[in-house]
Every structure is written in structure tokens, then in C-alpha cells.
Amino acid sequence: MNNPHPIDTRPLITGDDPAAQTYYQDLVSEYGSPLLVLNGRVLKTRFKALQAALPEVDLYYAVKAHPDPEIIKIIDQLGGGFDIASAGEMSLLLDHKVSGRRTIHTHPIKKDQEIRDGLRFGATTFVIDNVHELKKLVPYRSRVGVLLRVSFRSASAIVDLSKKFGCAPDEVSELVQEANALGIHVKGLSFHVGSQCHDASKHVEAISRCHRLMQEINETANKPLSVLDIGGGFPADYELKGLDIEAFCMPIRAALAELPRDWHLIAEPGRYLVAPSVTSVTTVAGKSMRNGFRWYYLDDGIYGSYSGQLFDHATYPLQVFRDGERMPSIVAGPTCDSIDVVAENIGLPELEIGDLVIGHQMGAYTAATKTRFNSIPDARLVVVDHPQEPPVLVN
Ligand SMILES: Cc1ncc(COP(=O)(O)O)c(C=O)c1O
């Protein structure tokens, strides 16, 4: 058999699960297919779990992870803040009457219009990472406070967010002096050690380095730096191993305990909150046998809800409600493009047209990066409040 594809080793759940199957089937009967099912109960649980794991830290949801109005509504109800990076994200919040005061504008590079949009919206905290951006704020200096973003590269994070933004730690002091000379208030430092971090070691390193930098600056400053924004990076459980956020955050909490009590601590979580809160439900629209592989064509794919497999380097656990001999299979999306393949060389029991294929942990950087190639409509987002938690695979 011609078998050019490496074996897909993502978590795969097969076999009977009548409760789950009926739950998803009922949703499809009511709303059609494909769907993204947002479980508000899971989102609330995750928000509270992260709050409990980092009790001294104010959480600002990173809207970019999934800019859906229903998610904004729930975070708003929970009293969370919002990390925004564009006028589009501000207008989403405006629709929900979220005050700009509850936001931080974290895009380090902004056009003048974006700064003015932010100010009109009511945002007062802006992130910058170089002197050109600092100078852009001079006309608005009486109305803004700045967080300086520092770069801490992370080889182990799946998405290294310090590659594109952030000044080197040894540039911080000069930038603060420059800001002082320009009459701009630097409130503190921020960083993002990368998304989907394997462990908290980079957070810990960045916290203690920022601690030292802020202390050094504060020795001579008129207005001391007193805000530390520790970014995102809290992982999703793509392996379905039962992520323990308390354990993940323990070293971060210990590092934060070393900081002065009166500093204001902020985090910008995206992925950890929304990934487990959203489940993709797709239907097998067609099947064929080609070159020794069973091909299944779904009604959603890489140009839709599974776009994160391209842009976010994520692989989502799949579930089918069939059992039987597993055969090398290819799960493809609905467009005419051959890149539109969700899983290559995955061992699946035989599926039939009309079967459901469930994608778990699919709330972060999924719908956020979808396109409309072939003019195929988006998966419909439905909101539920259901005890169904994302599955965990016990070995
Ligand atoms: C500035 C900033 N803050 C927060 C986040 C959210 O990070 P995560 O989803 O890893 O929590 C991102 C992700 O791109 C980001 O760029």
C-alpha cells in the first residue's frame, strides 16, 4: 500500500457513548451541522479555576483567542477585564457596553488612528516596546499610562510570541528614561512568554527578571513602576490528560509572592479559558476509498473551524461514535483545496455518511482565524449551559 503520510497520533476517542452522541445529535437536529458548541458552564469553571490558581492576579481575557459576543458576555458577567488589540475588538466590547476602563490595549504597534480610537473608547493603558511607539503617545501623554513589553523567548512554547514583539530586558531602563523625558507615565512591564506553554518555567524566569528590572528603576524613580502584566501562555489540554491548572500555576504563584504587596498584577489569558469551552460538531458528508486510504469528507475543515491546525499549530482531539477495526483514514474538509485535510493517516473505524465527528478543545484560535473559501458558511455557534465537560483519557 502506498502510505506517504506519517501516522496521526492525536488523541482519538472511538466507540459507544450514548449520552454524548444523543447530546450532539440533538444539537444538530435543532441547529444543523456544522456547529461550534460553546458551553458557558465550562468557560465559567475555567475562569474561576484560573482566578483561584492566581488569586492576586486580575484576569484580562485576550479577545483575539475567540472574539465571540457570547464569550464577551460571559467574561463580562464574571467581572473579567479584556485584552484588546484592534478597533474591531473594541467595537465588540462596545456592543456589550463594556467600559474601556476595563481593558488594556496590548498591541505594541499602533497607528495614530488606533491610539485615538482606544482613547475614545476609554482605554488608558497601552503597551509599547520601542521608542517610535513611545513618541506616538506624546500628544496623548496626559491620558495614557504605558506598559513596556519585554521579550522573553521560549523554545518550548508552541507559539513563540516574543519573536515578533518586546524589547530586550537590557533596553528597559533606557526606554523608561526616554518616557520620563517625554512626560509619559510608565506604569510597569508586561511580557508574553508564548502560547501553549509546556510548563511555567518561562513565566517564573520572566517574573523574577521583571522584578529586578522594576526594583532597579524604582530606586531612582519619582513615579515607581507598580504594574506587572504576566501575559498568557496558560495551556489547553489538547492531549486530554486532565490539565491541573492549580499545579501549572503553583510556581508562578510562588514567584509572584516575592513581589511587593502593592504591585498590581495582571494576566491576559486566552487559550486556557476558551479552548475547552468550545466543541466542534461536524458531519461526514461523503466518503471514498483512494490509494489504500478511506477518505471522509466533513462539512467543516481547515478553512473553517479547524483553521487553527494551520495558523496555531494545534491538533485537536477527535471523537467518533463507532467501533471496529481501525483502518488508515484521511479526514478532509469540505472545500475543493487539497490542503483542506483535518487528519492524515489516522486509524479510524469505518464511518458512514451522516456520522458525527466531534472535535474537542476547539475554542481558541479556531473560529478566530477561519475564512470563507469556496463561500462555504461558517459553523454556527450555539451556546449551551451543560454539565458535559471535555473528555479526559485515562490510560
Ligand atoms: C498580547 C497577547 N496577550 C495575550 C494573548 C493570549 O495568549 P494565550 O492564548 O496563550 O493565553 C496573546 C496571544 O496571542 C497575545 O498576543
Side-chain angles (χ1 to χ4, degrees):
M1 183 179 67
N2 180 14
N3 191 346
H5 311 292
I7 292 174
D8 188 314
T9 56
R10 78 182 70 203
L12 171 68
I13 304 169
T14 60
D16 274 353
D17 184 344
Q21 188 172 3
T22 307
Y23 167 62
Y24 293 120
Q25 198 66 64
D26 287 352
L27 286 169
V28 167
S29 303
E30 188 165 356
Y31 301 106
S33 173
L35 297 174
L36 282 175
V37 183
L38 164 64
N39 193 342
R41 199 177 300 194
V42 174
L43 179 55
K44 288 174 198 161
T45 311
R46 292 306 185 275
F47 189 89
K48 288 176 185 165
L50 190 55
Q51 262 182 336
L54 295 173
E56 317 296 338
V57 180
D58 285 337
L59 303 182
Y60 285 68
Y61 167 60
V63 173
K64 60 182 81 66
H66 198 142
D68 187 86
E70 294 295 336
I71 293 177
I72 308 264
K73 200 158 59 182
I74 293 169
I75 301 286
D76 181 30
Q77 284 162 2
L78 291 166
F82 296 89
D83 150 15
I84 51 165
S86 73
E89 291 178 355
M90 285 176 218
S91 71
L92 256 176
L93 295 181
L94 264 179
D95 291 346
H96 287 279
K97 304 196 170 29
V98 174
S99 156
R101 300 260 161 203
R102 284 172 58 197
T103 68
I104 42 176
H105 194 299
T106 63
H107 203 308
I109 308 292
K110 293 169 280 300
K111 294 199 269 190
D112 182 60
Q113 184 61 49
E114 285 164 329
I115 300 169
R116 282 191 277 131
D117 286 343
L119 289 169
R120 194 171 317 113
F121 173 54
T124 55
T125 303
F126 291 82
V127 170
I128 64 111
D129 67 1
N130 69 74
V131 71
H132 306 288
E133 293 298 311
L134 207 47
K135 286 180 179 162
K136 288 183 192 171
L137 292 174
V138 169
Y140 317 108
R141 62 188 160 199
S142 61
R143 300 158 67 194
V144 300
V146 160
L147 296 179
L148 273 184
R149 178 155 164 185
V150 190
S151 166
F152 294 98
R153 300 294 300 272
S154 173
S156 70
I158 303 295
V159 185
D160 177 4
L161 289 168
S162 281
K163 175 179 170 194
K164 186 169 172 183
F165 299 117
C167 66
D170 59 13
E171 291 172 326
V172 167
S173 159
E174 204 179 317
L175 276 168
V176 173
Q177 282 170 28
E178 191 79 40
N180 288 342
L182 294 169
I184 295 170
H185 176 212
V186 181
K187 296 164 90 168
L189 303 184
S190 78
F191 59 79
H192 196 307
V193 291
S195 204
Q196 187 65 12
C197 288
H198 184 65
D199 58 43
S201 54
K202 266 284 156 188
H203 286 91
V204 170
E205 180 193 324
I207 290 165
S208 53
R209 188 73 205 272
C210 286
H211 183 191
R212 287 201 303 279
L213 285 167
M214 288 168 71
Q215 267 181 328
E216 279 161 29
I217 289 163
N218 288 351
E219 276 166 19
T220 54
N222 293 338
K223 268 192 176 173
L225 310 194
S226 60
V227 178
L228 182 62
D229 175 351
I230 65 170
F234 311 98
D237 187 16
Y238 295 123
E239 295 297 319
L240 302 185
K241 285 185 174 158
L243 173 79
D244 180 349
I245 196 65
E246 186 74 32
F248 181 92
C249 289
M250 196 77 87
I252 300 179
R253 205 165 153 177
L256 294 175
E258 301 294 316
L259 308 184
R261 293 278 128 228
D262 58 347
W263 284 9
H264 181 201
L265 305 175
I266 290 174
E268 306 161 6
R271 185 186 303 275
Y272 168 78
L273 298 177
V274 288
S277 312
V278 179
T279 306
S280 152
V281 184
T282 58
T283 304
V284 176
K287 61 187 274 192
S288 75
M289 187 79 187
R290 304 174 59 240
N291 298 327
F293 284 92
R294 284 181 182 147
W295 280 73
Y296 299 105
Y297 301 89
L298 306 182
D299 55 7
D300 199 357
I302 292 292
Y303 285 89
S305 305
Y306 284 84
S307 63
Q309 292 200 174
L310 262 192
F311 294 115
D312 189 42
H313 320 287
T315 312
Y316 309 107
L318 297 178
Q319 180 170 17
V320 296
F321 302 108
R322 293 268 180 193
D323 240 336
E325 191 191 354
R326 293 190 184 196
M327 293 282 289
S329 305
I330 297 179
V331 180
T335 70
C336 299
D337 190 357
S338 56
I339 200 179
D340 189 6
V341 167
V342 170
E344 301 230 13
N345 200 0
I346 186 167
L348 284 179
E350 181 160 18
L351 306 182
E352 299 301 338
I353 291 171
D355 278 7
L356 298 184
V357 176
I358 310 300
H360 293 289
Q361 302 282 337
M362 284 195 58
Y365 312 107
T366 52
T369 50
K370 66 179 183 257
T371 70
R372 280 277 180 89
F373 182 53
N374 268 167
S375 301
I376 291 173
D378 300 339
R380 180 169 175 183
L381 188 120
V382 296
V383 187
V384 298
D385 183 75
H386 197 273
Q388 179 101 14
E389 272 279 319
V392 171
L393 291 177
V394 185
N395 290 329

Coordinates of all heavy atoms in Angstrom, one line a residue, residues 60-62 64-65 83 85 106-108 149 159 161 165 191-192 194-197 231-235 268-273 364-365, ligand 1:
Y60 N -7.5 39.5 32.4 CA -8.0 40.3 31.2 C -8.1 39.3 30.1 O -7.0 38.9 29.5 CB -7.0 41.4 30.9 CG -7.1 42.6 31.8 CD1 -6.7 42.5 33.2 CD2 -7.7 43.8 31.4 CE1 -6.9 43.6 34.0 CE2 -7.8 44.9 32.3 CZ -7.4 44.8 33.6 OH -7.5 45.8 34.4
Y61 N -9.3 38.9 29.7 CA -9.4 37.9 28.6 C -8.9 38.4 27.3 O -9.3 39.5 26.9 CB -10.9 37.5 28.5 CG -11.2 36.7 27.2 CD1 -10.6 35.5 27.0 CD2 -12.1 37.2 26.3 CE1 -10.8 34.8 25.8 CE2 -12.4 36.5 25.1 CZ -11.7 35.3 24.9 OH -12.0 34.6 23.7
A62 N -8.0 37.6 26.7 CA -7.4 38.0 25.4 C -8.5 37.8 24.3 O -8.6 36.7 23.8 CB -6.2 37.3 25.1
K64 N -8.7 38.2 21.2 CA -8.3 37.6 19.9 C -8.4 36.1 19.9 O -8.6 35.5 18.8 CB -6.8 38.0 19.7 CG -5.8 37.5 20.7 CD -4.4 37.9 20.4 CE -4.1 39.3 20.9 NZ -4.1 39.6 22.3
A65 N -8.4 35.5 21.1 CA -8.5 34.0 21.1 C -9.8 33.5 20.5 O -9.8 32.4 19.9 CB -8.3 33.5 22.5
D83 N -8.3 42.1 27.2 CA -7.1 42.5 26.5 C -7.5 42.7 25.0 O -8.0 41.7 24.4 CB -6.0 41.4 26.7 CG -5.0 41.2 25.5 OD1 -5.0 42.1 24.7 OD2 -4.4 40.2 25.5
A85 N -6.6 44.5 21.0 CA -5.5 44.8 20.2 C -5.9 45.5 18.9 O -5.1 45.7 18.0 CB -4.7 43.5 19.8
T106 N -3.1 46.0 24.1 CA -1.8 45.3 24.2 C -1.0 45.2 22.9 O 0.0 44.6 22.9 CB -2.0 43.9 24.7 OG1 -2.8 43.1 23.8 CG2 -2.7 43.9 26.1
H107 N -1.6 45.8 21.8 CA -0.8 45.8 20.6 C 0.4 46.7 20.6 O 0.2 48.0 20.7 CB -1.7 46.0 19.4 CG -1.1 45.4 18.1 ND1 0.2 45.7 17.7 CD2 -1.6 44.6 17.2 CE1 0.5 45.0 16.6 NE2 -0.6 44.3 16.3
P108 N 1.6 46.2 20.6 CA 2.8 47.1 20.7 C 2.9 48.1 19.6 O 3.6 49.1 19.7 CB 4.0 46.2 20.8 CG 3.4 44.9 21.1 CD 2.0 44.8 20.5
R149 N 6.6 46.3 27.0 CA 6.6 44.8 26.8 C 8.0 44.4 26.6 O 8.8 44.9 25.8 CB 5.8 44.5 25.6 CG 5.8 43.0 25.3 CD 4.6 42.5 24.6 NE 4.8 41.2 24.0 CZ 3.9 40.6 23.2 NH1 2.7 41.2 22.9 NH2 4.1 39.4 22.7
V159 N 3.7 28.5 20.4 CA 3.7 29.8 19.6 C 4.6 30.8 20.4 O 4.2 31.2 21.5 CB 2.2 30.3 19.5 CG1 2.2 31.6 18.6 CG2 1.3 29.2 19.0
L161 N 5.6 34.1 21.2 CA 5.1 35.4 21.0 C 6.1 36.5 21.3 O 5.8 37.7 21.3 CB 3.8 35.6 21.8 CG 2.7 34.8 21.2 CD1 1.5 34.8 22.2 CD2 2.2 35.4 19.9
F165 N 7.5 40.7 19.1 CA 7.3 41.9 19.9 C 8.1 41.8 21.2 O 8.5 40.7 21.7 CB 5.8 42.0 20.3 CG 4.9 42.2 19.1 CD1 3.9 41.3 18.9 CD2 5.0 43.3 18.3 CE1 3.1 41.4 17.8 CE2 4.2 43.5 17.2 CZ 3.2 42.5 17.0
F191 N 4.9 41.1 29.6 CA 5.5 40.1 28.7 C 4.5 39.0 28.3 O 3.4 38.9 28.9 CB 6.7 39.5 29.4 CG 6.4 38.7 30.7 CD1 5.9 37.4 30.7 CD2 6.7 39.3 32.0 CE1 5.6 36.8 31.9 CE2 6.4 38.6 33.1 CZ 5.8 37.4 33.1
H192 N 4.9 38.3 27.3 CA 4.1 37.1 26.9 C 5.1 36.1 26.5 O 5.8 36.2 25.5 CB 3.2 37.4 25.7 CG 2.1 36.4 25.6 ND1 2.4 35.0 25.5 CD2 0.8 36.5 25.5 CE1 1.3 34.3 25.4 NE2 0.3 35.2 25.4
G194 N 4.8 33.2 25.4 CA 4.5 32.3 24.4 C 3.2 31.5 24.7 O 2.9 31.3 25.9
S195 N 2.5 31.1 23.7 CA 1.2 30.5 23.9 C 1.4 29.0 23.9 O 2.2 28.4 23.2 CB 0.2 30.9 22.8 OG -1.1 30.8 23.2
Q196 N 0.5 28.3 24.7 CA 0.5 26.9 24.9 C 1.9 26.5 25.5 O 2.7 25.7 24.9 CB 0.2 26.1 23.6 CG 0.1 24.6 23.7 CD -1.1 24.2 24.6 OE1 -2.0 25.0 24.9 NE2 -1.2 22.9 25.0
C197 N 2.2 27.0 26.7 CA 3.5 26.7 27.3 C 3.4 25.3 27.9 O 2.4 24.9 28.4 CB 3.7 27.7 28.5 SG 4.1 29.3 27.9
G231 N 1.0 38.3 31.0 CA 0.6 37.8 29.7 C -0.3 36.6 29.7 O -1.1 36.4 30.7
G232 N -0.2 35.7 28.7 CA -1.0 34.5 28.6 C -0.1 33.3 28.7 O 0.9 33.3 29.4
G233 N -0.4 32.3 27.9 CA 0.5 31.1 27.8 C 0.0 29.9 28.6 O 0.5 28.8 28.5
F234 N -1.1 30.1 29.3 CA -1.7 29.0 30.1 C -2.3 28.0 29.1 O -3.1 28.4 28.3 CB -2.8 29.6 31.1 CG -2.2 30.7 31.9 CD1 -2.5 32.1 31.5 CD2 -1.4 30.5 33.0 CE1 -2.0 33.1 32.2 CE2 -0.9 31.6 33.7 CZ -1.2 32.9 33.3
P235 N -1.9 26.8 29.2 CA -2.2 25.8 28.1 C -3.6 25.3 28.1 O -4.3 25.2 29.1 CB -1.2 24.7 28.3 CG -1.0 24.7 29.8 CD -1.1 26.1 30.3
E268 N -3.2 38.0 30.9 CA -4.1 38.1 29.6 C -4.4 36.7 29.1 O -3.9 36.4 28.0 CB -3.3 38.9 28.6 CG -2.8 40.2 29.0 CD -1.7 40.8 28.1 OE1 -1.4 40.1 27.1 OE2 -1.1 41.8 28.4
P269 N -5.1 35.9 29.8 CA -5.3 34.5 29.3 C -6.3 34.5 28.1 O -7.3 35.2 28.1 CB -5.9 33.8 30.5 CG -6.6 34.9 31.3 CD -5.8 36.1 31.1
G270 N -6.0 33.6 27.2 CA -6.9 33.4 26.1 C -7.2 31.9 26.0 O -8.3 31.4 26.4
R271 N -6.2 31.2 25.5 CA -6.4 29.8 25.2 C -7.0 28.9 26.3 O -7.9 28.2 26.1 CB -5.0 29.2 24.8 CG -5.0 27.8 24.3 CD -3.6 27.3 24.1 NE -2.8 28.1 23.2 CZ -2.8 28.0 21.8 NH1 -3.6 27.1 21.3 NH2 -2.1 28.8 21.1
Y272 N -6.4 29.0 27.5 CA -6.8 28.2 28.6 C -8.3 28.3 28.9 O -9.0 27.3 29.2 CB -6.0 28.5 29.9 CG -6.6 27.8 31.1 CD1 -6.4 26.5 31.4 CD2 -7.4 28.5 32.0 CE1 -7.0 25.8 32.4 CE2 -8.0 27.9 33.1 CZ -7.8 26.6 33.3 OH -8.4 25.9 34.3
L273 N -8.8 29.6 28.8 CA -10.2 29.8 29.1 C -11.2 29.2 28.0 O -12.1 28.6 28.3 CB -10.5 31.3 29.2 CG -9.7 32.0 30.3 CD1 -10.0 33.5 30.3 CD2 -10.1 31.4 31.7
A364 N -10.1 28.0 21.0 CA -9.0 29.0 20.9 C -8.4 29.1 19.6 O -7.9 28.0 19.1 CB -8.0 28.8 22.0
Y365 N -8.3 30.2 19.0 CA -7.7 30.4 17.7 C -8.2 29.4 16.6 O -7.4 28.9 15.9 CB -6.1 30.3 17.8 CG -5.6 31.2 19.0 CD1 -5.2 30.6 20.2 CD2 -5.7 32.6 18.9 CE1 -4.8 31.4 21.3 CE2 -5.3 33.4 20.0 CZ -4.8 32.8 21.2 OH -4.5 33.5 22.2
Ligands
LIG1 C1 -0.6 40.2 23.7 C2 -1.2 38.9 23.9 N1 -1.8 38.7 25.1 C3 -2.5 37.5 25.4 C4 -2.5 36.5 24.4 C5 -3.3 35.3 24.8 O1 -2.4 34.2 25.0 P1 -2.8 32.8 25.4 O2 -3.9 32.4 24.4 O3 -1.6 32.0 25.3 O4 -3.3 32.8 26.8 C6 -1.9 36.7 23.2 C7 -2.0 35.6 22.2 O5 -1.6 35.8 21.0 C8 -1.2 37.9 22.9 O6 -0.7 38.2 21.7

